[in-house]
């Protein structure tokens, strides 16, 4: 190409720099777009899992909708199925005052959290305590891919 | 600058323009509708809340009780004995009982409640349910809980029940509305007899459509 050293080369450098900035902006926008899509998909997944825990996995023996019976064994079996699909699960049940009643699954570590930020949902549930009493609690489900 | 140099810079500028258009389109485009996610979550949350009302006893929220209005009935009772404690009833059972005990009458365009010994239950229960819902929903959403019984049409009046508990001070848009049906703790015959007693009339032989069911609807609103 017939450029002359001086202002022509400077113009080319400026325009090239401009293109690089625009490419970086485009990459960033795409990253944000993908992150939003993944967050939405993960939120749907977390909600699906929370509903399944509420309506099937942890449902009390009387098949009373909304009444939960906490069981590590049932959760362990369900978590294994999710792990096979590359999904990690942390379940917590807290009283309405925030006191932790039950927890299952490990917390996401920093590295896992960086690549797939955990997404969580919380639903109000009733937890059976003994034959005659039940307490209002919050079922919190966090999922992340690993 | 030579012509080729101009061409090169012009190409780069056009390319940069295309890139910026693509960036703007990507930044503006949302892969999903965020409202759809909130609506789905709110709907599931409302279902859970309604189920909680069916399974939680009043005891879990500090217990519920009210005083019979004895003075209006000219009754003299020992102090404290007119108090009715309903600690072991679920919140849904309390709503159903309130509907049965506090039926309203609409006649000639006026809506009124006939004086009854249990009339204080309605206001007390509204306050109690509001504090329970505030705790269950925990400030995530604004809400409106509405319970209503199908109106029973008589020749001269309409007997119905409707109560509403809401916290819509910070409400923006309605996200969902979920409904559950509750049976009143009375059969059709008992409900007819109750209306007869309440209005002091005889409904024998009248073809009444009495449905001892109340509809409880919970609306959740974004904040």
């Amino acid at each position: 190409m017939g450029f002359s050293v001086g202002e022509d080369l400077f113009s080319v450098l400026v325009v090239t720099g401009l293109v690089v900035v625009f490419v970086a902006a485009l990459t960033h926008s795409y990253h944000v777009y993908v992150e939003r899509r993944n967050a939405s998909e993960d939120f749907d997944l977390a909600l699906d899992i929370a509903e399944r825990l509420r309506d099937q996995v942890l449902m009390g023996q009387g098949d009373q909708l909304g009444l939960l019976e906490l069981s590590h064994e049932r959760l362990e079996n369900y978590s294994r199925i999710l792990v096979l699909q590359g999904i990690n699960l942390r379940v917590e049940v807290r009283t309405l005052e925030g006191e932790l009643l039950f927890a299952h699954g490990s917390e996401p570590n920093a590295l896992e959290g960086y690549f797939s930020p955990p997404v969580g949902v919380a639903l109000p549930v009733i937890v059976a305590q003994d034959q005659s009493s039940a307490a209002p609690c919050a079922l919190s489900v966090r999922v992340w891919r690993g | 600058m030579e012509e080729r140099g101009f061409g090169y810079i012009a190409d780069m500028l056009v390319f940069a323009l295309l890139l910026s258009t693509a960036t703007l389109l990507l930044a503006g485009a949302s892969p999903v509708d965020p409202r759809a996610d909130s609506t789905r979550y709110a709907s599931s949350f409302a279902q859970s809340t309604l189920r909680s009302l069916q399974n939680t006893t009043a005891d879990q929220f500090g217990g519920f009780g009210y005083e019979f209005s004895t003075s209006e009935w000219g009754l003299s009772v020992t102090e404290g004995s007119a108090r009715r404690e309903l600690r072991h009833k679920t919140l849904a059972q309390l709503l159903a009982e309130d509907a049965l005990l506090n039926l309203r009458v609409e006649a000639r365009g006026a809506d009124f409640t006939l004086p009854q010994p249990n009339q204080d239950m309605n206001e007390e229960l509204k306050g109690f349910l509001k504090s329970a819902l505030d705790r269950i929903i925990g400030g995530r959403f604004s809400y409106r809980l509405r319970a209503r019984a199908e109106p029973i049409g008589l020749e001269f009046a309409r007997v119905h029940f409707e109560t509403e508990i809401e916290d819509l001070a910070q409400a923006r848009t309605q996200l969902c509305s979920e409904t559950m049906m509750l049976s009143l703790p009375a059969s059709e015959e008992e409900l007819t007899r109750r209306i007869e007693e309440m209005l002091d009339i005889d409904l024998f032989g009248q073809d009444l459509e009495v449905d001892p069911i109340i509809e409880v609807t919970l609306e959740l609103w974004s904040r």
Side-chain angles (χ1 to χ4, degrees):
Chain A
M1 284 224 282
F3 286 118
S4 58
V5 178
E7 62 180 28
D8 294 348
L9 187 58
F10 178 72
S11 306
V12 169
L13 284 175
V14 167
V15 173
T16 309
L18 197 68
V19 168
V20 169
V21 169
F22 276 104
V23 168
L26 180 66
T27 313
H28 176 71
S29 292
Y30 182 70
H31 179 72
V32 170
Y33 177 87
V34 170
E35 213 166 56
R36 265 194 231 152
R37 194 187 58 198
N38 288 347
S40 170
E41 282 172 5
D42 287 351
F43 179 78
D44 271 347
L45 179 71
L47 190 54
D48 283 342
I49 291 172
E51 284 176 343
R52 183 169 279 247
L53 291 178
R54 181 193 66 185
D55 300 341
Q56 291 173 21
V57 180
L58 294 176
M59 194 159 84
Q61 287 183 340
D63 284 358
Q64 216 171 338
L65 280 174
L67 190 65
L68 263 59
E69 210 175 85
L70 302 177
S71 153
H72 279 287
E73 194 189 342
R74 289 196 226 167
L75 268 175
E76 190 54 51
N77 292 337
Y78 184 60
S79 296
R80 270 194 217 128
I81 298 169
L82 292 178
V83 167
L84 290 175
Q85 296 166 25
I87 299 162
N88 297 299
L89 175 68
R90 163 94 177 160
V91 178
E92 286 178 5
V93 175
R94 290 180 184 272
T95 62
L96 295 182
E97 287 73 39
E99 185 196 338
L100 185 67
L101 272 188
F102 176 89
H104 181 89
S106 56
E107 292 272 4
N109 62 43
L111 193 66
E112 284 173 332
Y114 179 78
F115 288 110
S116 166
V119 176
V121 294
L123 292 176
V125 289
I126 302 299
V127 174
Q129 288 179 319
D130 52 53
Q131 290 290 329
S132 57
S133 70
C137 294
L139 169 74
S140 153
V141 170
R142 269 189 295 163
V143 294
W144 66 98
R145 293 169 196 274
Chain B
M1 196 185 281
E2 290 190 10
E3 272 179 32
R4 275 183 177 182
F6 272 125
Y8 179 75
I9 289 168
D11 287 349
M12 293 288 251
L13 283 173
V14 169
F15 185 52
L17 187 72
L18 287 174
L19 283 176
S20 59
T21 312
T23 306
L24 284 174
L25 285 176
L26 266 180
S30 180
V32 281
D33 179 8
R35 202 178 137 75
D37 275 348
S38 1
T39 303
R40 206 190 139 211
Y41 176 53
S43 176
S44 186
F45 197 96
Q47 285 169 17
S48 280
T49 307
L50 288 175
R51 288 174 191 174
S52 297
L53 297 184
Q54 285 181 295
N55 292 311
T56 329
T57 57
D59 210 16
Q60 295 291 340
F61 293 97
F64 174 72
Y66 67 95
E67 297 268 348
F68 282 112
S69 345
T70 49
S71 54
E72 284 180 34
W73 298 83
L75 299 171
S76 169
V77 294
T78 315
E79 196 180 324
S81 66
R83 182 151 185 87
R84 191 166 177 236
E85 290 289 345
L86 299 164
R87 301 183 74 87
H88 300 294
K89 294 212 172 196
T90 65
L91 304 187
Q93 284 171 334
L94 289 176
L95 254 179
E97 189 165 323
D98 182 31
L100 185 67
L101 296 175
N102 289 298
L103 288 167
R104 298 178 67 83
V105 180
E106 193 187 304
R108 293 176 186 164
D111 192 29
F112 54 92
T113 312
L114 296 173
Q116 291 169 71
N118 296 291
Q119 64 195 20
D120 285 350
M121 182 184 186
N122 189 255
E123 280 308 309
E124 296 267 348
L125 185 63
K126 273 187 180 181
F128 178 72
L129 283 177
K130 180 156 189 334
S131 68
L133 283 170
D134 284 346
R135 283 184 63 198
I136 293 173
I137 295 172
R140 287 184 181 90
F141 301 99
S142 293
Y143 63 85
R144 179 191 285 142
L145 182 85
R146 190 180 284 150
R148 63 180 288 276
E150 196 61 42
I152 302 160
L154 306 172
E155 279 173 17
F156 56 94
R158 218 168 63 107
V159 178
H160 69 106
F161 172 78
E162 187 156 349
T163 193
E164 219 172 82
I165 299 139
E166 61 177 40
D167 174 16
L168 295 176
Q170 298 172 47
R172 285 163 64 199
T173 46
Q174 188 183 334
L175 295 172
C176 71
S177 170
E178 294 288 330
T179 301
M180 71 171 170
M181 308 301 269
L182 293 177
S183 294
L184 288 179
S187 64
E188 279 182 41
E189 292 74 33
E190 285 168 328
L191 189 56
T192 309
R193 218 175 309 134
R194 167 120 190 88
I195 296 167
E196 284 179 336
E197 283 168 13
M198 199 172 85
L199 300 173
D200 198 18
I201 51 167
D202 185 6
L203 295 171
F204 182 77
Q206 284 205 29
D207 188 21
L208 286 185
E209 278 189 31
V210 180
D211 196 3
I213 279 178
I214 59 167
E215 201 180 274
V216 181
T217 303
L218 178 64
E219 293 170 7
L220 292 183
W221 298 60
S222 66
R223 295 192 142 193

